[in-house]
Amino acid sequence: MGRAHEVRAKAMAATAAARSALFMRASKEIYMAAKSGVPDPDSNLALRSAIEKWKGQHVTKDVIERAIQKAKGGSAESYEEGRYEAFGPGGSLFIIDTLTDNTNRALVEVRTAVTKKGGHLGSTIFNFTETGVFDFKGENRDEVEENLILGDVDVREVTCEDGEIEVLVAPEAFSAAREVLAGMGISEFDTAEITFLANDPVEITDPEDLRKFNELCEMLDELQDVQNVYHNVK
């Protein structure tokens, strides 16, 4: 069938693997959030936040509902959180969070992916700052900032560009910030999560290092035990 068919088939397989891993990550996080309290997003803030997060990544309603129903059914399934730090190609730094029912498997798969692309596990977290991030449509930057400050929210930065407002807050102020924004009638977010932002983002200019970095990101994205990946590359 020729080389073009092989390339297309490989790309389609990679996309399918990444999509499958995405749905698995969403299902596990929503299931655990639903089990942590009442399995109702109207009464469970953690569950509501998880649903909004994964909806923003185009996870289907069916996947979300199945995870909630699984929690309602009293499933004994449980997952353990893990965190790995790594040095990657071209000066890239990673924080890799896992949610798994087999911690040994998660460690082996993460370490294998990193070492295959010339990296190694090591301490990198001091190069990042944990931050609550909200992105939503709007133009009223000053009003948003003023309301957050009046609401005694620990605001780090509020910016507005091309009709999109971004709010950065201390992670412990995430829930308070969401309440203030809800009071302003803001309930739809493009992003609403606690994440790690790089203190000094880098740009990889070497083509070979950039190729390895992108391939490493794809490999991690396809691992079903991997929940979140943070890096310092622009």
Side-chain angles (χ1 to χ4, degrees), residues 183-221:
M184 297 179 64
I186 301 167
S187 58
E188 296 291 327
F189 300 96
D190 296 321
T191 302
E193 63 182 358
I194 296 175
T195 186
F196 283 91
L197 301 181
N199 297 333
D200 296 299
V202 301
E203 184 174 355
I204 299 178
T205 56
D206 181 79
E208 181 65 11
D209 284 340
L210 183 59
R211 179 185 65 81
K212 290 180 180 179
F213 167 79
N214 288 329
E215 289 177 352
L216 175 54
C217 289
E218 290 174 5
M219 290 175 69
L220 293 171
D221 193 44

Side-chain angles (χ1 to χ4, degrees), residues 8 14 16 22 26 43 49 86 99 120 144 153 182 186 201 203 207 210 218-219 223 229 231 233-234:
R8 285 196 301 273
L22 174 70
S43 307
S49 296
L99 190 61
H120 62 275
V144 168
V153 174
I186 301 167
E203 184 174 355
L210 183 59
E218 290 174 5
M219 290 175 69
L223 296 180
V229 177
H231 59 73
V233 178
K234 294 179 182 179

Side-chain angles (χ1 to χ4, degrees), residues 48-66:
R48 186 161 71 248
S49 296
I51 291 171
E52 288 178 358
K53 169 186 173 181
W54 293 108
K55 273 186 176 179
Q57 297 189 41
H58 308 294
V59 170
T60 64
K61 182 179 179 181
D62 184 49
V63 170
I64 293 169
E65 286 300 322
R66 279 204 307 268

